Amino acid sequence: MALINVHRPCALAASLQFLSSNFSFPFIKKAQIVKFGKQNVSDHHVETPANIESDSLFQLYKTLKLPVDLFDLKAGFTVFNLNEIAFELPYQSASYRPNFFSFLFVKNGSGKYTIDEKTFEVEPHSIYFTNPSNYRTFSWNNIEDVLLITFDETFLKKYIGEEVYADFPFLLTETVRPKVVADPFFEEVGAINVQLLNEYRKNTPSKYKIIGHLLTVLLFKIKEHIWIDYNPIYEGNRSSRIVISFKRILEQHYRDLSSGKVDLAFRVQDYANALNLHPNYLSSVIKSKTGKNITTWIAEKTLTEAKSLLQNTAIPIKEISYRLGFAETAHFSNFFKKYEETSPGSYKKSHQS
């Protein structure tokens, strides 16, 4: 058996001020180290960074001073076996909060994973799924055959589709839920993972299109075997359902903004109205359940949609800025440049096929 843990200018001015003037959105800063703490590794203390904010596995490993030579930085996707990483065992990570999804397929290895004060044992023939949420840590005692797959939202929408959360609602799950499955299923998804790893190591024009198709197959297999009846709206207590509802409204609203169906970016008050909640209560729930301010979620989604539109459409930058709630293109450019360290134009040019 295997264990799975599984606009326009006038109206937009206020939204722009709300998003970019009143808040600094520190979550987007690359691999930001908030503070330092001591981790007890083996029999000695090692000074390591703690409470890391990371947009990618590459940034996380670089901050943790782990080898990063296996990474391909052309897209928000990685896959490799952890036995190729020079972990000094036993290894204890610093506390970190990722802005990416991950699947861990453990054929042979042992360790622990802690999130939201819940600790899970990593055992042979287990699979773990996590999404961007609260701070977490991991530790390894033994690594022989452990495959790690990570991908961000921009990659999902570019290579799987804009309706990715409708097809795979479990990606929004609030809880890391253990699930026991038969060994044949572990072997079935293992065969897909071998193909993913082989394609990732190639350098072909269609590399990420192929990976996108293989990842889609993997997600459908996992959905049908584990989350066939999963509906995130019924998960957890009322606070959890509020978070799920907020995420769904946030996702739908930015989809409508990107397509031009609506022309005014929501503020916190608008999300609260949609949920029939007081904005202060909504903000408190989002902060307490996810560890991030609601304004951080809004800014994160703004940046993700901006990157997706710049990569995947021929829409002029001026129109993209209007669609995402910016009164002036210059404001959008400053917002984008502040967190991506490049202009929208340069970003678009570098991601053209």
Side-chain angles (χ1 to χ4, degrees):
M1 304 297 285
L3 173 68
I4 288 199
N5 229 357
V6 260
H7 34 212
R8 299 298 183 217
C10 292
L12 292 172
S15 298
L16 175 64
Q17 292 172 357
F18 176 80
L19 286 171
S20 61
S21 299
N22 297 337
F23 302 93
S24 58
F25 307 127
F27 78 97
I28 305 178
K29 294 179 181 178
K30 303 295 185 181
Q32 179 187 15
I33 300 174
V34 179
K35 62 181 180 180
F36 285 82
K38 289 189 176 180
Q39 304 273 346
N40 191 349
V41 180
S42 189
D43 294 325
H44 61 280
H45 291 277
V46 177
E47 194 78 10
T48 57
N51 287 3
I52 302 166
E53 303 275 354
S54 180
D55 277 358
S56 69
L57 189 67
F58 172 80
Q59 294 168 7
L60 176 64
Y61 275 26
K62 191 172 182 180
T63 304
L64 294 176
K65 303 186 186 310
L66 293 169
V68 293
D69 53 303
L70 296 175
F71 288 84
D72 183 347
L73 302 181
K74 295 186 180 69
F77 176 91
T78 67
V79 55
F80 50 80
N81 201 302
L82 292 187
N83 62 22
E84 300 175 283
I85 303 295
F87 285 104
E88 294 184 8
L89 301 176
Y91 181 84
Q92 173 65 58
S93 79
S95 173
Y96 69 99
R97 181 167 62 194
N99 190 27
F100 52 85
F101 302 84
S102 64
F103 277 97
L104 193 67
F105 297 84
V106 184
K107 186 173 183 179
N108 195 355
S110 63
K112 293 182 179 180
Y113 187 88
T114 300
I115 181 171
D116 292 336
E117 299 181 350
K118 297 178 182 178
T119 299
F120 302 94
E121 294 287 339
V122 179
E123 302 172 353
H125 269 215
S126 63
I127 305 173
Y128 287 76
F129 165 71
T130 65
N131 58 16
S133 57
N134 291 350
Y135 286 102
R136 73 281 309 268
T137 63
F138 65 86
S139 63
W140 289 107
N141 297 317
N142 175 48
I143 301 174
E144 292 188 30
D145 192 347
V146 180
L147 192 80
L148 175 65
I149 298 175
T150 72
F151 44 89
D152 60 23
E153 185 177 293
T154 300
F155 182 88
L156 285 176
K157 291 193 171 183
K158 181 173 183 178
Y159 292 103
I160 294 183
E162 291 292 329
E163 303 295 324
V164 62
Y165 295 126
D167 289 332
F168 308 110
F170 67 86
L171 292 174
L172 297 175
T173 183
E174 287 293 303
T175 306
V176 181
R177 312 174 80 178
K179 177 75 175 180
V180 176
V181 300
D183 288 349
F185 177 74
F186 188 88
E187 296 172 0
E188 183 179 3
V189 295
I192 301 172
N193 291 338
V194 169
Q195 296 181 68
L196 281 167
L197 185 59
N198 289 338
E199 292 300 329
Y200 186 68
R201 289 174 172 172
K202 295 178 182 179
N203 186 21
T204 61
S206 301
K207 170 180 176 175
Y208 284 108
K209 290 182 179 179
I210 296 173
I211 286 175
H213 285 297
L214 289 171
L215 181 59
T216 302
V217 173
L218 179 64
L219 293 176
F220 271 118
K221 289 289 185 181
I222 290 174
K223 174 186 175 181
E224 291 179 355
H225 199 90
I226 302 164
W227 278 295
I228 187 64
D229 296 319
Y230 173 74
N231 188 334
I233 201 67
Y234 300 120
E235 179 184 45
N237 57 26
R238 181 169 182 263
S239 293
S240 295
R241 292 194 293 271
I242 290 172
V243 172
I244 290 293
S245 295
F246 165 73
K247 288 182 179 179
R248 283 181 172 272
I249 294 171
L250 183 72
E251 171 68 24
Q252 184 61 54
H253 177 61
Y254 273 83
R255 188 182 304 165
D256 291 343
L257 276 175
S258 297
S259 64
K261 292 182 180 179
V262 298
D263 58 8
L264 180 61
F266 274 6
R267 298 171 296 174
V268 174
Q269 181 68 61
D270 298 311
Y271 289 104
N273 290 343
L275 294 168
N276 295 314
L277 297 172
H278 190 282
N280 290 346
Y281 177 71
L282 174 61
S283 298
S284 297
V285 169
I286 298 300
K287 174 64 176 178
S288 65
K289 296 293 291 185
T290 71
K292 294 191 292 188
N293 293 324
I294 190 171
T295 51
T296 297
W297 281 99
I298 295 171
E300 182 176 18
K301 179 59 71 173
T302 300
L303 187 65
T304 297
E305 291 299 324
K307 291 162 69 174
S308 180
L309 288 171
L310 289 168
Q311 285 189 33
N312 305 321
T313 73
I315 300 173
I317 292 175
K318 181 178 180 180
E319 178 62 22
I320 291 175
S321 68
Y322 283 166
R323 288 191 182 188
L324 294 180
F326 293 87
E328 300 290 342
T329 304
H331 295 159
F332 170 64
S333 181
N334 290 337
F335 171 85
F336 192 89
K337 191 181 300 183
K338 180 178 180 181
Y339 301 118
E340 286 298 306
E341 299 178 356
T342 187
S343 69
S346 297
Y347 182 88
K348 185 178 183 70
K349 184 176 181 180
S350 67
H351 286 79
Q352 290 176 339
S353 301

